[in-house]
Amino acid sequence: MSEGKVITCRAAVAWKPQEPFKIEEIQVDPPKAGEVRVKVIHTGICHSDVSACSGKFIGVQFPVVVGHEASGIVESVGDGVENFKTGDHVITLFLPQCNKCRVCQKGNSNACLEFMGAQIRGVMPDGTSRISCRGETLYTFVGCSTFAEYTVVSEMNLAKINTNAPMEKVCLLSCGISTGYGSAVNTAGVTKGSTVAVWGLGTLGLAAIMGSKNAGATTIIGVDINPEKFKLAGELGATDFVNPKELTEPVEKYLMEKYGGAIDYTIECVGQVATMTQAFESCALGNGVCVLVGVADVTALLNISPASFLLGKVLKGCLFGSYKSKDAIPQLVEDFMNNKFNIDKFITHSLKLDDVNEGFDMLKSGKSIRSIINF
Ligand SMILES: NC(=O)c1ccc[n+]([C@@H]2O[C@H](COP(=O)([O-])OP(=O)(O)OC[C@H]3O[C@@H](n4cnc5c(N)ncnc54)[C@H](O)[C@@H]3O)[C@@H](O)[C@H]2O)c1
Ligand SMILES: [Zn+2]
Ligand SMILES: [Zn+2]
C-alpha cells in the first residue's frame, strides 16, 4: 500500500526553458486536504506543453513537470475529499471548477478564478508543491503535471469518468478536443448553414472543424501553412483549404474576396498575434464572431481598430471551449462513447515517457497531431 507514503517514480523534468526534458526519479508526496494522488495512465502532448517549456507562457516556473492531457486512476485521496476514492477512473483538468468562486457560481462563464490563483504560479492551492527531485522543489503546470507516473492534483482539477471509457482515447478530452470542439459549438455558437474559417489544423483546430460540422456549418475553411494537415481536416469536415504561403496577397484579403466578406465565424487555433489579427480581420462586418483559442506569448498585444466593434464584429476567447470543466467531462465522455464525435483520428503516435523529447519535436515540426504517452 502506497497510501500516506511518498512515492518515488519516473517523470520528465524541464529543468530550464528551452532545454530537452531529462527523465528523472521524482518524489511525489501524499495528497493533502482537498487533494488527490493520481496514477497517470495516458497523457497527450499539447502545444501548450511546448509553449510552457519555451519560458514564454504565463506563470510557468522552472524546474517544472508539464503535461496536462491525462487519464488516470486515483491512488489515494487527502482529508475531506468525498467525491473521489481509490480506483476511480479520472481525467485531469487544466481549468479547475471550484464551484465556490464568483465565476463558478454564475452560469455564464467557465473561467474559474482559481485558475489565476496558485495554479498559475505552479503550486497547489495551499502555496506549496507535492513534487521534488533530489530534494529540489519542482513546480506544477496548470495544476496537473502529468508527464509523471504519479501526480497530485486538487480535487477541483479532476473529473470522474465512466470506467468503461477507453482511457487511451478520452485523455484527449481533458484539453485539446474539448477545447477545440467547444470553441465552435459553445464560444462561437456556430449555427446551421453558416461559414466558418479555422486557423491552425492541429488538434485544437481540427476539433473546432469537427464541432462546426456537427453544429451544421456548410462551408468550413481550414487555414494552415502546412498543407499536410488538409487531408485529415477534410475527413473531419473541412470543405475548403487555404495555405497562406501559396497566396500572393494577405490571407484576410483573399478570404474577404473569395467569400464575399461573409465568413460568420473565425476561430484562431495557432497562438500567434499575426494569425489572431488575420482571423479578426476575416470575419464578417455586421455580425462576424472571432474566437481566440491559441495562447500567445505572455507579452503579446493585439493591434486592431476599435471601429470594427462599432461595425458589429465580436471578438472573444475561451479556455476549455467555454465548458464548465468538471460538469462537462462526464457528458463529453458519454458523447464520445455514443459516437457523437471522433477521437481516434487525432491520435497519430503512441510513445513511452522516454520518447517525450521526440514527441515534442514531432508536434513542433507538424509531423504529429497528438502523441499519447502510455505509462
Ligand atoms: N484556449 C485554450 O483553452 C487552449 C487549450 C489548449 C491549447 N491551446 C492553444 O491552442 C493552440 C493550438 O494547439 P495545438 O495543440 O492544436 O497545436 P499544434 O501545434 O498541433 O497546431 C498548430 C497548427 O498551427 C499551424 N500554423 C502555424 N503557423 C501558422 C500560420 N501562420 N497560419 C496558419 N497556421 C499556422 C501549424 O502548422 C499547426 O498545424 C496553441 O496555442 C495552444 O497553446 C489553447
Ligand atoms: Zn471557481
Ligand atoms: Zn492543452
Side-chain angles (χ1 to χ4, degrees):
M1 279 294 280
S2 49
E3 194 175 336
K5 296 181 188 146
V6 173
I7 291 179
T8 295
C9 67
R10 298 172 83 236
V13 177
W15 288 99
K16 287 190 180 143
Q18 291 175 22
E19 279 188 3
F21 293 104
K22 289 212 172 93
I23 305 300
E24 305 274 13
E25 285 211 325
I26 67 161
Q27 278 66 47
V28 183
D29 290 347
K32 290 194 178 170
E35 298 173 356
V36 180
R37 190 159 58 184
V38 176
K39 180 173 169 46
V40 180
I41 308 292
H42 306 278
T43 187
I45 302 178
C46 170
H47 206 104
S48 299
D49 297 311
V50 172
S51 304
C53 292
S54 76
K56 293 177 188 159
F57 209 73
I58 183 165
V60 178
Q61 303 215 56
F62 291 81
V64 63
V65 174
V66 298
H68 58 286
E69 263 188 359
S71 58
I73 297 176
V74 172
E75 176 270 340
S76 63
V77 302
D79 286 346
V81 173
E82 287 172 2
N83 295 321
F84 297 96
K85 58 177 190 318
T86 303
D88 282 348
H89 289 202
V90 288
I91 274 181
T92 54
L93 304 170
F94 76 88
L95 179 64
Q97 184 182 339
C98 75
N99 285 331
K100 289 181 188 146
C101 76
R102 174 175 56 77
V103 174
C104 279
Q105 290 192 342
K106 282 200 170 174
N108 62 356
S109 170
N110 70 338
C112 173
L113 296 176
E114 290 287 339
F115 181 73
M116 290 305 288
Q119 182 167 313
I120 211 80
R121 300 197 309 275
V123 286
M124 301 303 288
D126 74 350
T128 62
S129 171
R130 301 293 160 266
I131 48 177
S132 59
C133 180
R134 295 186 288 279
E136 186 170 348
T137 297
L138 301 174
Y139 289 95
T140 55
F141 177 55
V142 288
C144 296
S145 292
T146 58
F147 288 178
E149 289 169 330
Y150 287 85
T151 188
V152 176
V153 302
S154 164
E155 59 178 331
M156 64 183 141
N157 290 83
L158 207 58
K160 200 186 308 195
I161 59 164
N162 185 333
T163 45
N164 294 322
M167 291 220 272
E168 71 283 8
K169 296 178 186 173
V170 296
C171 60
L172 293 187
L173 291 176
S174 74
C175 178
I177 291 185
S178 306
T179 305
Y181 194 86
S183 72
V185 301
N186 300 329
T187 324
V190 170
T191 48
K192 228 172 171 202
S194 59
T195 297
V196 184
V198 176
W199 272 252
L201 304 178
T203 297
L204 280 285
L206 292 169
I209 284 174
M210 195 163 69
S212 299
K213 185 177 183 203
N214 282 3
T218 40
T219 303
I220 305 176
I221 308 150
V223 183
D224 202 300
I225 53 172
N226 178 356
E228 287 179 18
K229 304 283 177 111
F230 293 159
K231 182 171 175 284
L232 183 51
E235 290 173 24
L236 291 167
T239 56
D240 302 19
F241 307 93
V242 179
N243 178 356
K245 281 193 167 168
E246 285 177 352
L247 302 175
T248 51
E249 58 193 331
V251 63
E252 59 274 25
K253 190 157 180 281
Y254 168 84
L255 290 172
M256 271 290 163
E257 279 161 14
K258 177 148 192 214
Y259 297 93
I263 301 179
D264 302 293
Y265 307 97
T266 56
I267 305 178
E268 199 275 357
C269 298
V270 180
Q272 295 169 13
V273 165
T275 42
M276 292 176 182
T277 311
Q278 290 162 12
F280 184 66
E281 295 295 333
S282 302
C283 74
L285 279 176
N287 62 350
V289 176
C290 172
V291 176
L292 306 185
V293 181
V295 182
D297 289 354
V298 65
T299 53
L301 290 173
L302 277 179
N303 188 9
I304 48 177
S305 163
S308 306
F309 300 108
L310 305 184
L311 295 169
K313 287 195 183 191
V314 174
L315 177 63
K316 324 164 86 169
C318 71
L319 286 171
F320 202 61
S322 301
Y323 288 111
K324 281 195 183 277
S325 56
K326 227 172 161 62
D327 291 348
I329 283 289
Q331 186 58 49
L332 284 164
V333 168
E334 293 310 314
D335 288 350
F336 166 65
M337 290 171 78
N338 291 320
N339 296 316
K340 291 200 179 152
F341 55 80
N342 191 291
I343 293 183
D344 300 44
K345 283 181 189 283
F346 292 77
I347 302 172
T348 53
H349 298 81
S350 291
L351 305 175
K352 288 284 170 202
L353 183 64
D354 298 274
D355 307 322
V356 62
N357 287 309
E358 189 192 326
F360 258 49
D361 291 343
M362 287 195 291
L363 188 66
K364 285 196 256 186
S365 63
K367 291 202 180 83
S368 61
I369 300 296
R370 274 298 185 263
S371 296
I372 306 289
I373 296 174
N374 304 300
F375 287 91

